[in-house]
Amino acid sequence: MGSTLAMAPDLLKGNQMVASVFEVLDRKAEVIGDSGEELARVEGMIELSGVQFSFPSRPNELIFVGFDLVVCAGQSMALVGRSGSGKSLVLALVLRFYDPTAGNVMIDGEFLFDEFHCSCYF
């Protein structure tokens, strides 16, 4: 009985972790579905223009405000900054794991997300 009671904190932690996993699985994605054109050839120029973004779980906490970035095709680059500054988020926006709340994300001049037309292409 004593050994079982000693495991109680671990069982509670496990229960909380399972609940958080189910919360993530049950969350409805806010990314607009792809119904755009397929690009025949991709050179690889990436452009973020005037991007504003906040995570759905923290809408009042802006990560990007007017963020601009141009990466030319074939160019190597590095993003550096403190934890939580948005380094991984740049890739997540290009891969459309998230859509920006404002601004444009483009590959080779084609909009992945266009704030003015709410169009998705790729």
Side-chain angles (χ1 to χ4, degrees), residues 20-99:
S20 66
V21 168
F22 282 118
E23 181 180 317
V24 170
L25 292 174
D26 291 339
R27 189 180 311 154
K28 177 118 173 111
E30 294 185 18
V31 174
I32 301 168
D34 280 336
S35 60
E37 304 167 7
E38 184 174 323
L39 299 177
R41 180 180 170 138
V42 176
E43 295 293 326
M45 180 176 163
I46 298 170
E47 182 176 357
L48 284 75
S49 174
V51 170
Q52 180 173 312
F53 181 82
S54 62
F55 287 103
S57 60
R58 293 175 281 152
N60 296 328
E61 205 173 305
L62 290 174
I63 306 298
F64 291 148
V65 178
F67 181 72
D68 296 321
L69 175 71
V70 176
V71 181
C72 295
Q75 177 183 359
S76 295
M77 64 159 303
L79 294 172
V80 294
R82 62 182 175 82
S83 178
S85 63
K87 301 177 299 290
S88 299
L89 180 57
V90 171
L91 182 60
L93 288 167
V94 171
L95 294 173
R96 299 264 340 271
F97 292 146
Y98 296 105
D99 281 336

Side-chain angles (χ1 to χ4, degrees), residues 1-13:
M1 188 67 162
S3 296
T4 304
L5 291 176
M7 292 175 38
D10 294 329
L11 292 172
L12 288 173
K13 286 181 190 176

